[in-house]
Amino acid sequence: MTIRALPPALAFCLAATACERPAPEEANVVQANAMANEADNGAHAPRSILRPEVITKAEEEEIEPVHAVIGFGASSLRLDDAGRKAIDALLDTPAMKAGGAITLRGHSDSRGADGDNRVASRIRAEAVRDHLVKKGVAKDRITLVALGEARPVAPNAHEDGSDDPEGRAKNRRVEIDIAPPPDDAPPPVVPTIPKDEKSQKE
């Protein structure tokens, strides 16, 4: 039996077909990948490139500004127990712990001269500042603004012109604003309880 040589053209076609055909294992992988891609495109919405834990962490790190009002209605120029407790509660806010800038705006009622009222409003702001510093807040974070009687939140007198003690008491106040720290701010110094106070509590 004689073996005839294949024509050159036919031999080239057979060789090309053999080269292009993937091995059985490769064909299975290609088919599985194609099916997976088709299922993903039809059944799933586009996925976020961020992992869930990364998104949760970013949301937790967002710090909101804080606004609070400390009243000086009864004691006029000195902090009372309610005022001190209100300030102490601010020490646990994220903005305070993060080291944000603190602005204290002192206010007064309209009784007396404008210059005296401005001085009184500053004394109130200084009282709040001193309490914060006593609790471990850095003094250079705090800015004082003395506004006097310029921005009342209640009437200082009734419509008939008679005195309104309740309204004047509401105007004797200090407004506290704590801003979130800038993105490039250094880590804050966390207020700590002095040893003598700590031993007393224990």
Side-chain angles (χ1 to χ4, degrees):
M1 181 176 179
T2 60
I3 300 177
R4 296 181 180 180
L6 294 174
L10 181 59
F12 176 79
C13 291
L14 291 175
T17 304
C19 292
E20 292 177 356
R21 182 177 300 169
E25 295 81 0
E26 295 177 352
N28 291 337
V29 172
V30 171
Q31 184 177 6
N33 288 340
M35 293 175 63
N37 290 336
E38 183 177 358
D40 283 343
N41 292 334
H44 299 286
R47 298 177 181 176
S48 171
I49 61 174
L50 293 177
R51 297 187 303 276
E53 58 269 22
V54 175
I55 297 175
T56 302
K57 183 177 180 181
E59 291 176 350
E60 291 177 351
E61 290 178 348
E62 185 177 354
I63 298 176
E64 296 294 332
V66 174
H67 178 78
V69 178
I70 307 300
F72 283 76
S75 58
S76 185
L77 297 177
R78 296 182 180 181
L79 276 172
D80 56 15
D81 290 339
R84 283 188 286 269
K85 289 180 181 179
I87 296 172
D88 291 345
L90 298 177
L91 298 175
D92 292 328
T93 60
M96 181 69 82
K97 291 181 177 180
I102 304 169
T103 303
L104 306 178
R105 295 180 173 86
H107 301 269
S108 73
D109 59 27
S110 62
R111 174 175 288 184
D114 181 65
D116 293 339
N117 289 334
R118 192 177 295 274
V119 171
S121 67
R122 183 173 184 83
I123 293 174
R124 294 184 183 106
E126 289 174 345
V128 175
R129 178 202 61 193
D130 293 344
H131 187 75
L132 287 171
V133 172
K134 180 181 178 182
K135 291 295 182 176
V137 178
K139 191 174 182 178
D140 59 4
R141 289 176 56 186
I142 304 172
T143 300
L144 302 183
V145 181
L147 294 170
E149 61 185 81
R151 298 182 185 178
V153 292
N156 289 288
H158 296 293
E159 292 183 359
D160 60 2
S162 60
D163 185 36
D164 186 347
E166 293 183 2
R168 289 193 297 102
K170 292 178 181 178
N171 291 327
R172 296 192 296 268
R173 70 198 190 281
V174 172
E175 296 182 357
I176 304 176
D177 287 290
I178 309 172
D183 295 336
D184 57 350
V189 177
V190 180
T192 57
I193 301 175
K195 292 183 179 179
D196 55 346
E197 290 187 17
K198 187 175 182 181
S199 60
Q200 291 176 5
K201 289 185 178 181
E202 293 175 351

